[in-house]
């Protein structure tokens, strides 16, 4: 008998001495570090940032302690700090003073997000990857991610008579993508969940000469209750109805793979799952299924939930934050979008 096989039978001995001991490799910090299967480093993290038009001072977001709506100046400072901390990148959300039905400020050259992109790309060059979230909800007066039209031809309405109209929205997304790339965005990240959005954006970018600008598709984005605090931060809550006719339904898993496959077929260079922690099964399945980089977005409600618990002294904040980030990486995400990106980067150093 080999020692290994013998050990399997050691229950028959008078005094059972385990042969296999999982504890051996856990016994010192050095051994645990050496054998850790998942590593987290600052370069894996992307910080979402909000920049608001018409404010002189950063405005704290009540439901996200530690997160602010930036002025262009405070954003420049925060971006420098992020670069110093060694994180992978930033993703920008703009909040314009004027909103309208078509979200004109999203692609206005002097729109707040495009001005901020210009400044950051001039300040930082390639030091950080500058991502532009591409959506209309922060820019439309109705707060939906696409154009809203009266329901017609048997299309069921949100709030009764209005629908978010897929195909006309694609033309808007195309224009916004060009404006963002022009302004200096290194990556375009469409989050509106309109069908065909990646193809429309790829075609537009290529047509405008931005053939080298990658698209990170929010491919599997769920209609989630965990976006609540973000809507305060980005001032983009829908005025009527909700987003469940375009974002994915939380019970569905196979459909995420279909959304991902579709976005890749349309030319996405990388894909995202969102939210992260309540959808680790989706992160894992997507990571297994594709051979492109996978990101996961740890959203505002995930942040708020843990901050609230930590503020009450119910969890050890740093430990819990790093555990969530590690779990998201362990599930298969290479990149994590997180409001803790810079702070976590400091902890990891
Ligand atoms: C919409 C968008 C949302 C988030 C990122 N992009 C909100 C939504 O879909 O309602 C949520 C991010 C977060 O909650 O942190 N363009």
């Amino acid at each position: 008998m080999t020692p290994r096989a013998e050990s399997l039978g050691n229950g028959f001995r008078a005094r059972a001495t385990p042969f296999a001991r999982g504890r051996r490799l856990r016994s010192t910090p050095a051994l645990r570090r050496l054998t850790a299967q998942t590593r987290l480093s600052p370069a894996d993290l992307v910080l979402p940032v909000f920049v608001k038009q018409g404010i002189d001072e950063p405005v704290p977001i009540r439901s996200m302690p530690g997160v602010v709506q930036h002025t262009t100046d405070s954003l420049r400072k925060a971006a420098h700090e992020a670069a110093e901390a060694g994180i992978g990148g930033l993703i920008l959300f703009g909040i314009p003073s004027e909103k309208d039905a078509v979200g004109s400020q999203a692609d206005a050259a002097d729109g707040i997000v495009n001005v901020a992109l210009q400044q950051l790309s001039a300040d930082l060059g390639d030091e950080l990857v500058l991502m532009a979230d591409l959506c209309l909800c922060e820019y439309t007066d109705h707060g939906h991610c696409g154009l809203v039209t009266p329901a017609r031809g048997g299309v069921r309405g949100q709030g009764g008579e209005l629908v978010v109209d897929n195909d006309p929205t694609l033309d808007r997304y195309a224009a916004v993508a060009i404006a963002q790339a022009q302004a200096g965005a290194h990556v375009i990240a469409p989050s509106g969940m309109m069908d065909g959005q990646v193809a429309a954006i790829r075609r537009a970018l290529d047509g405008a000469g931005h053939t080298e600008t990658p698209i990170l598709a929010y491919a599997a984005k769920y209609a989630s209750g965990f976006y609540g605090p973000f809507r305060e931060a980005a001032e983009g809550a829908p005025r009527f109805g909700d987003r469940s006719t375009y974002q994915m339904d939380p019970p569905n898993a196979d459909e995420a793979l279909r959304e991902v496959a579709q976005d890749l077929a349309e030319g996405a260079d990388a894909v995202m799952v969102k939210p992260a922690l309540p959808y680790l099964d989706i992160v894992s399945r997507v990571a297994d299924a594709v051979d492109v980089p996978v990101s996961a977005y740890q959203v505002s409600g995930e942040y708020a939930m843990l901050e609230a618990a930590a503020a009450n002294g119910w969890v050890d904040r740093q430990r819990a934050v790093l555990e969530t980030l590690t779990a998201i990486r362990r599930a298969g995400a290479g990149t994590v979008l997180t409001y803790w990106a810079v702070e976590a980067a400091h902890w990891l150093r």
Side-chain angles (χ1 to χ4, degrees), residues 3-8 10 17-21 24:
R4 176 162 275 277
E6 195 174 46
S7 77
L8 295 173
N10 67 10
T17 321
F19 185 79
R21 293 181 187 269
R24 285 187 195 112

Side-chain angles (χ1 to χ4, degrees), residues 48 50 64 93 133-138 145 191-192 218 221-222 224 226-231 236 238 243 246-247 274 297-301 339:
F50 305 101
M64 300 177 74
F93 297 88
D133 178 89
L134 194 167
C135 195
L136 292 181
C137 63
E138 302 100 85
C145 302
S191 65
Y218 285 69
K221 177 175 174 181
Y222 286 85
S224 172
F226 288 94
Y227 304 151
F230 175 92
R231 296 190 179 160
R243 305 207 201 291
Y246 44 104
Q247 298 179 347
K274 179 184 171 189
Y297 196 142
Q298 183 176 55
V299 301
S300 57
Y339 299 96

Side-chain angles (χ1 to χ4, degrees), residues 2-279:
T2 64
R4 176 162 275 277
E6 195 174 46
S7 77
L8 295 173
N10 67 10
F12 293 107
R13 294 193 194 143
R15 175 148 154 265
T17 321
F19 185 79
R21 293 181 187 269
R23 294 179 54 177
R24 285 187 195 112
L25 293 177
R26 298 174 199 143
S27 60
T28 68
L31 276 166
R32 293 196 294 274
R33 189 172 64 232
L34 183 73
T35 56
Q37 192 182 349
T38 305
R39 295 191 195 279
L40 196 58
S41 68
D44 305 326
L45 307 176
V46 170
L47 179 71
V49 290
F50 305 101
V51 58
K52 180 169 170 157
Q53 187 176 9
I55 53 171
D56 299 327
E57 292 292 326
V59 179
I61 298 157
R62 214 177 34 86
S63 53
M64 300 177 74
V67 180
V68 300
Q69 294 174 323
H70 281 289
T71 66
T72 47
D73 282 349
S74 71
L75 178 59
R76 291 168 90 159
K77 196 160 155 278
H80 275 290
E81 287 164 8
E84 297 266 284
I87 68 167
L90 299 179
I91 183 160
L92 272 78
F93 297 88
I95 306 137
S97 310
E98 296 294 327
K99 304 191 185 211
D100 59 26
V102 297
S104 305
Q105 288 299 303
D107 56 321
D110 61 352
I112 184 68
V113 78
N114 295 320
V115 168
L117 284 166
Q118 281 164 31
Q119 292 175 342
L120 297 187
S121 62
D123 285 359
L124 297 162
D126 291 334
E127 243 189 293
L128 278 177
V129 177
L130 293 178
M131 304 184 180
D133 178 89
L134 194 167
C135 195
L136 292 181
C137 63
E138 302 100 85
Y139 305 92
T140 51
D141 49 15
H142 46 72
H144 275 292
C145 302
L147 301 182
V148 166
T149 56
R152 41 156 215 276
V155 184
R156 242 173 226 273
Q158 295 241 8
E161 62 294 321
L162 294 172
V163 288
V164 175
D165 205 350
N166 195 92
D167 299 5
T169 299
L170 300 180
D171 297 333
R172 291 291 302 128
Y173 285 1
V176 176
I178 293 170
Q180 292 176 334
Q182 208 68 51
H186 303 140
V187 173
I188 305 296
S191 65
M193 287 299 280
M194 295 298 124
D195 291 321
Q197 63 184 15
V198 173
I201 290 166
R202 183 72 274 156
R203 208 174 300 125
L205 289 172
D206 289 354
H210 299 291
T211 53
E212 303 302 312
T213 304
I215 296 174
L216 164 59
Y218 285 69
K221 177 175 174 181
Y222 286 85
S224 172
F226 288 94
Y227 304 151
F230 175 92
R231 296 190 179 160
E232 180 192 344
E235 301 177 15
R239 295 278 178 277
F240 64 90
D242 58 28
R243 305 207 201 291
S244 46
T245 63
Y246 44 104
Q247 298 179 347
M248 283 184 59
D249 203 19
N252 297 351
D254 294 344
E255 189 188 353
L257 298 182
R258 182 178 156 84
E259 287 281 354
V260 163
Q262 184 62 35
D263 283 358
L264 291 176
E266 290 181 23
D269 300 280
V271 293
M272 195 196 299
V273 174
K274 179 184 171 189
L277 212 55
Y279 294 86

